[in-house]
Amino acid sequence: MTTSFDLDAYNERARNGPCFICAMLAGTPGFEHRIVYDDGAHVAFLDRYPTLPGKLLVAPRAHVEDTIGGLTEARYLALHRVVHRVAAALAATVPTERLYVLSLGSRQGHAHVHWHVAALPPGVPYEQQQFHALMAEGAGVLPEDPEQADQLAAALRARLDHPDQRGA
């Protein structure tokens, strides 16, 4: 089940609004997300417009726009250790057939480097998997359920705070 989603307004905000990650980190109203991990250098948070249950974004706190050239090898690998850790926590928290991990965005919109971490639930027909499952245009956006999102965020934080519960 999906909810109505104004894709045109979303794209307009992505292309002409402030950096959504920097705005979230600055506490700008309208850019709130449920943060599940923050080590001072990286942050992971629930996607505000998820196409799959528990979809997360992982980003460096510093505004970086080039996935490779904007990060030293050490910073890139540190970020990916966080991606791995968060992905393991997600897979241990929600039913998962396959984890999708990818970087999207461009300097034209969503320029701040970030990785999408999404758990494909078991039983999704093949034709609805992969990019189709990740795109609002294809899969649609899941309905907002603040209580469920708060519970999921708390469960993910608990797994990330206690490595023995991560499932990795």
Side-chain angles (χ1 to χ4, degrees):
M1 179 175 153
T2 61
T3 189
S4 63
F5 178 69
D6 187 340
L7 187 59
D8 290 334
Y10 173 81
N11 285 328
E12 175 66 24
R13 186 171 170 173
R15 296 188 78 178
N16 298 308
C19 169
F20 82 100
I21 294 171
C22 292
M24 174 197 64
L25 293 172
T28 304
F31 290 88
E32 300 86 355
H33 287 76
R34 288 170 177 84
I35 295 175
V36 300
Y37 179 84
D38 187 347
D39 66 7
H42 314 97
V43 64
F45 50 96
L46 288 174
D47 190 333
R48 199 166 166 187
Y49 306 107
T51 57
L52 292 170
K55 185 167 177 275
L56 296 160
L57 302 175
V58 181
R61 282 182 141 273
H63 186 89
V64 175
E65 293 189 5
D66 185 334
T67 46
I68 303 299
L71 300 165
T72 64
E73 182 178 356
R75 287 179 63 203
Y76 180 87
L77 294 174
L79 177 58
H80 277 275
R81 278 191 290 281
V82 174
V83 169
H84 183 272
R85 185 173 177 192
V86 167
L90 181 62
T93 305
V94 302
T96 304
E97 176 179 323
R98 176 79 175 228
L99 278 172
Y100 296 143
V101 178
L102 65 158
S103 177
L104 297 171
S106 74
R107 291 182 193 224
Q108 296 176 36
H110 298 302
H112 193 128
V113 167
H114 61 284
W115 270 259
H116 296 249
V117 179
L120 179 71
V124 173
Y126 183 76
E127 303 77 33
Q128 297 173 20
Q129 295 180 14
Q130 303 178 66
F131 285 113
H132 184 85
L134 297 169
M135 304 306 293
E137 300 92 323
V141 173
L142 298 176
E144 184 177 9
D145 183 336
E147 184 177 329
Q148 186 178 21
D150 287 343
Q151 291 171 356
L152 177 59
L156 288 165
R157 280 188 216 103
R159 287 193 188 279
L160 290 160
D161 287 346
H162 303 287
D164 56 324
Q165 296 179 20
R166 266 200 339 255

